[in-house]
Amino acid sequence: MAGGRLTVDLDAIAANWRTLSSHLRDGTECAATVKANAYGTGLAETADRLHQEGCRSFFVALPEEALHLRETLPDVTIYVLDGLFPGTAETYAAANLRPVLNSVPEIEEWSAYCRAAKTALPAAIHIDTGMNRLGLLPDMFAQVMADDYLAGAFTPCLLVSHLACGSTPDHPLNQMQLDTFRAATADFPHIPKSLANSAGVFLGPDYHFDIARPGISLYGGKALDPGANPMVPVVKVEARILMVRDVAENKTIGYGGAVTATRPMRLAVVAAGYADGFLRRAGSSDKHSGGFGWLEGHRVPIVGRISMDMMALDVTDVPETVARHGVFVELLGPNVAASDLAIYAETIDYEYLTGLGRRFHRRYGSLGNRQDGT
């Protein structure tokens, strides 16, 4: 029996996809980025639900993910963001996968395979407009497109770039990348284009182009740093209370004695720790507060360091009839946003979502409603 349970609301993911679609300009397709096991929600289950909702194009990171997705959805368009791995062109072609070609060697290999197969197979080309990660610089992209031996052997079906600072709407790099992308692709109006990730969807129609490829927003994450989050939560993680114990004033709590009780306290020790994706950095000490859980209308702060399998929560002000052995405490969900936890752990909600629930019982269903409490 697991110490916790992880509930995924597929209908909420579908609702977020509809919300994102409604923000796009007419003519822009809303795809879905489902890499990293659909941000921890389950690749097959999530992609199938999005397909039911009308999504027809999907982006993954790895060819292994793409092959798994192809087994689930035989007729959709699948792009592999990490590109063409050496010696795998035949595998991509057999599964009808579209590599996002990120470098000249990848383009050379895909081109050679297409010439040998005498078939101009589709592939996307990644243009680096300022991320300085993957992709061709604009000058190199222009050289490749002018070389019929390279670009003429396959079908460039999508021109892609990626925003480095999209979560900060007023960052000057956003406009610089937009201008660079427009200039680099201006001579190819017939090839569809994609710049907008989740943040790009909310930056406005200039960023939308032909295909948007949201990721974190599908899963309830916060795409833009300022303002409210318009997305609904899609995951709830609950951990079982293993023990409720009294701690006297001036006693230390947990590893390293990081917290000293300033009053008599009651602690609920729950079966979740950093081995389950709850980052150690979100613990508390006498010098700083930490994250929190939610127990039947009560916000219950994390006390002390998060250990591998357990954490302690302050339930001093929670009725004993509520905080008791065996009860489940919400550690993430409608009342505990991943973006809130991320602040305490000095990270981002992506890291929380993709690392959750390695040992939890996973189920699919409704999360329930957000509560108002203390």
Side-chain angles (χ1 to χ4, degrees):
M1 180 177 291
R5 58 194 182 196
L6 188 156
T7 305
V8 178
D9 191 335
L10 296 174
D11 289 340
I13 296 175
N16 285 338
W17 184 81
R18 292 194 303 270
T19 297
L20 290 159
S21 298
S22 71
H23 278 78
L24 295 173
R25 70 183 187 185
D26 290 344
T28 298
E29 177 186 358
C30 190
T33 300
V34 292
K35 61 184 180 178
N37 197 30
Y39 288 56
T41 63
L43 175 60
E45 295 84 356
T46 294
D48 182 65
R49 180 65 184 88
L50 288 170
H51 184 259
Q52 294 176 35
E53 203 62 32
C55 185
R56 293 295 180 265
S57 296
F58 295 84
F59 289 78
V60 297
L62 301 170
E64 182 179 10
E65 296 172 329
L67 293 171
H68 181 33
L69 179 56
R70 179 58 75 211
E71 292 177 359
T72 303
L73 298 175
D75 300 323
V76 300
T77 301
I78 302 174
Y79 293 94
V80 183
L81 291 165
D82 281 8
L84 181 67
F85 287 18
T88 61
E90 185 174 359
T91 300
Y92 281 63
N96 190 22
L97 307 178
R98 298 183 178 186
V100 178
L101 302 174
N102 295 302
S103 66
V104 172
E106 290 182 21
I107 292 172
E108 290 174 340
E109 183 169 349
W110 190 247
S111 180
Y113 179 83
C114 290
R115 284 195 304 273
K118 298 181 180 179
T119 305
L121 295 170
I125 300 177
H126 188 166
I127 305 166
D128 180 10
T129 59
M131 184 76 164
N132 285 307
R133 194 172 61 176
L134 295 177
L136 305 175
L137 292 173
D139 288 348
M140 181 56 69
F141 168 71
Q143 292 179 38
V144 166
M145 295 301 284
D147 187 338
D148 191 59
Y149 187 76
L150 287 179
F154 66 94
T155 302
C157 62
L158 187 66
L159 303 179
V160 176
S161 194
H162 191 62
L163 294 167
C165 301
S167 60
T168 308
D170 59 355
H171 198 290
L173 189 54
N174 293 326
Q175 186 65 49
M176 291 172 58
Q177 286 193 262
L178 176 61
D179 294 342
T180 301
F181 189 61
R182 281 174 167 166
T185 61
D187 291 337
F188 310 100
H190 60 290
I191 304 177
K193 300 165 186 66
S194 178
L195 179 62
N197 53 5
S198 291
V201 170
F202 296 107
L203 290 180
D206 286 348
Y207 291 83
H208 293 168
F209 292 93
D210 299 288
I211 298 178
R213 48 183 204 279
I216 190 65
S217 288
L218 285 173
Y219 310 103
K222 196 170 186 288
L224 300 183
D225 293 336
N229 184 5
M231 317 315 293
V232 297
V234 306
V235 172
K236 181 162 70 173
V237 178
E238 301 162 286
R240 193 186 304 274
I241 295 178
L242 300 174
M243 180 180 184
V244 179
R245 65 176 307 128
D246 294 319
V247 176
E249 186 176 358
N250 294 323
K251 294 294 185 180
T252 61
I253 298 163
Y255 278 121
V259 169
T260 302
T262 59
R263 61 171 179 164
M265 299 178 69
R266 274 192 310 123
L267 301 181
V269 181
V270 300
Y274 57 76
D276 305 293
F278 286 93
L279 303 177
R280 188 172 182 269
R281 296 187 301 275
S284 69
S285 73
D286 289 335
K287 296 180 180 179
H288 64 83
S289 60
F292 62 94
W294 195 265
L295 179 57
E296 294 191 22
H298 298 269
R299 178 179 169 129
V300 286
I302 297 173
V303 182
R305 293 180 182 171
I306 295 172
S307 55
M308 183 181 293
D309 312 300
M310 289 172 278
M311 70 178 79
L313 303 171
D314 184 356
V315 295
T316 307
D317 299 320
V318 179
E320 294 185 19
T321 55
V322 172
R324 63 188 190 278
H325 176 258
V327 169
F328 283 95
V329 179
E330 179 186 327
L331 299 178
L332 178 78
N335 303 287
V336 188
S339 56
D340 289 337
L341 291 182
I343 292 172
Y344 293 102
E346 298 180 347
T347 184
I348 54 177
D349 42 9
Y350 296 70
E351 186 175 9
Y352 262 107
L353 291 171
T354 57
L356 284 173
R358 298 181 181 92
R359 300 183 294 183
F360 291 157
H361 170 68
R362 179 181 292 259
R363 61 183 186 174
Y364 291 87
S366 174
L367 304 187
N369 297 322
R370 189 179 188 281
Q371 302 171 0
D372 293 321
T374 59

